[in-house]
């Protein structure tokens, strides 16, 4: 299992990481309608989802491997007068009891490892999520350009490569899946909606594209 490596958020120049994802509004409304309150932002980064869900009235815990990111989030939460509990940790060992959370966002996080690391992190997610709770998770598809065209020296295992396109995540491992992998890995979950695979193109160079799966999952009893 490869050692986890944090993003270098000090080199981030993309303001998009401060704006909640498109799915956040739907998830907040859906989860509130189901009476969910205890929310975990797993791999919170600079804190865009933590801030959003705290403003929506959720009780928020946020964890990340980057101390820089958590310091940014703590300052942001203080300015917004929000109570968000933060902790530095590796996603392979979450510092929470079993069945701690009603809902979890794992946005562009769990795939920053190799195959063994992914399986270990997914077990941790299942452990801390309550039965009947829900998880929103994004995974990179094996249909994406960077996986299909990676040099062999960058491949760690059959599902994982080291990426080097961006300074924030230079040499951070990236784990990829296809729909059969999703079927195998998520047997202990029901799909709240069918798995969605979507592709983002570089409009200036449409030969380069990034493809992700978005999953909303319900943990079985």
């Amino acid at each position: 299992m490869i050692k986890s490596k944090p993003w270098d958020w000090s080199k981030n120049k993309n303001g998009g990481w401060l704006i909640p994802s498109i799915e956040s509004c739907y998830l907040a409304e859906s989860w509130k309608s189901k009476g969910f309150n205890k929310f975990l932002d797993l791999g919170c980064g600079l804190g865009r989802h933590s801030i959003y869900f705290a403003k929506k009235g959720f009780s928020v815990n946020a964890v990340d491997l980057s101390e820089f990111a958590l310091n940014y989030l703590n300052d942001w939460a203080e300015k917004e007068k929000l109570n968000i509990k933060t902790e530095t940790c590796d996603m392979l060992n979450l510092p929470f009891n079993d069945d701690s959370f009603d809902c979890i966002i794992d946005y562009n996080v769990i795939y920053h490892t190799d195959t063994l690391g992914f399986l270990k992190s997914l077990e941790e997610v299942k452990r801390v999520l309550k039965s009947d709770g829900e998880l929103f998770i994004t995974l990179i598809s094996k249909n994406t350009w960077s996986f299909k065209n990676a040099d062999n020296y960058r491949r760690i295992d059959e599902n994982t490569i080291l990426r080097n396109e961006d300074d924030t995540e230079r040499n951070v491992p990236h784990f990829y899946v296809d729909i059969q992998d999703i079927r195998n890995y998520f047997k202990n979950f029901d799909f709240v909606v069918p798995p969605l695979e979507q592709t983002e193109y570089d409009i200036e160079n449409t030969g380069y594209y990034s493809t992700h799966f978005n999953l909303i999952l319900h943990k079985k009893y």
Side-chain angles (χ1 to χ4, degrees):
M1 187 186 307
I2 197 168
K3 183 178 179 180
S4 298
K5 182 179 180 181
W7 276 28
D8 186 354
W9 281 104
S10 67
K11 295 179 180 177
N12 175 59
K13 298 178 181 178
N14 183 357
W17 292 115
L18 298 176
I19 301 170
S21 62
I22 292 172
E23 298 83 5
S24 300
C25 179
Y26 168 80
L27 292 170
E29 296 304 317
S30 174
W31 288 343
K32 272 296 182 184
S33 73
K34 296 174 182 179
F36 292 171
N37 178 255
K38 290 283 293 180
F39 168 83
L40 174 62
D41 190 359
L42 177 57
C44 61
L46 302 177
R48 57 182 180 157
H49 295 125
S50 296
I51 295 293
Y52 182 82
F53 278 81
K55 286 183 175 180
K56 290 291 184 179
F58 287 81
S59 173
V60 176
N61 285 76
V63 296
D64 202 282
L65 194 55
S66 167
E67 292 187 8
F68 181 97
L70 289 174
N71 288 335
Y72 188 99
L73 171 54
N74 287 332
D75 289 343
W76 189 0
E78 184 176 357
K79 291 176 183 176
E80 298 280 356
K81 295 182 171 54
L82 296 171
N83 180 23
I84 296 173
K85 300 171 185 173
T86 63
E87 190 164 353
T88 306
C89 80
D90 192 321
M91 64 182 177
L92 303 179
N93 292 288
L94 298 178
F96 305 109
N97 294 328
D98 296 357
D99 305 314
S100 291
F101 298 100
D102 300 307
C103 45
I104 298 175
I105 276 187
D106 191 341
Y107 193 97
N108 290 6
V109 176
I110 198 172
Y111 57 71
H112 290 118
T113 183
D114 58 12
T115 301
L116 291 177
F118 169 80
L119 294 173
K120 177 67 167 65
S121 184
L122 184 58
E123 283 299 317
E124 282 292 276
V125 169
K126 288 191 290 187
R127 180 182 66 80
V128 303
L129 181 63
K130 294 178 182 179
S131 294
D132 215 28
E134 291 187 9
L135 163 69
F136 176 73
I137 187 171
T138 61
L139 298 167
I140 324 177
S141 170
K142 288 177 178 175
N143 289 323
T144 206
W145 187 95
S146 59
F147 183 77
K148 293 195 291 186
N149 294 277
D151 295 324
N152 284 333
Y153 78 92
R154 304 201 72 82
R155 295 187 183 273
I156 297 173
D157 61 38
E158 64 180 358
N159 303 309
T160 311
I161 63 173
L162 293 177
R163 293 274 293 274
N164 62 357
E165 298 95 318
D166 194 298
D167 286 341
T168 56
E169 49 183 325
R170 188 166 300 280
N171 290 325
V172 173
H174 286 62
F175 168 84
Y176 295 75
V177 298
D178 57 26
I179 194 64
Q180 183 59 49
D181 295 325
I182 289 172
R183 184 182 291 114
N184 292 337
Y185 294 141
F186 295 97
K187 291 179 179 178
N188 293 326
F189 293 89
D190 293 318
F191 291 90
V192 177
V193 296
L196 172 66
E197 186 177 17
Q198 58 186 28
T199 301
E200 298 175 1
Y201 287 95
D202 179 344
I203 200 65
E204 302 300 326
N205 176 19
T206 54
Y208 182 85
Y209 50 87
S210 178
T211 304
H212 286 72
F213 286 99
N214 292 349
L215 308 177
I216 305 177
L217 301 156
H218 168 265
K219 181 179 172 182
K220 298 177 182 178
Y221 285 103

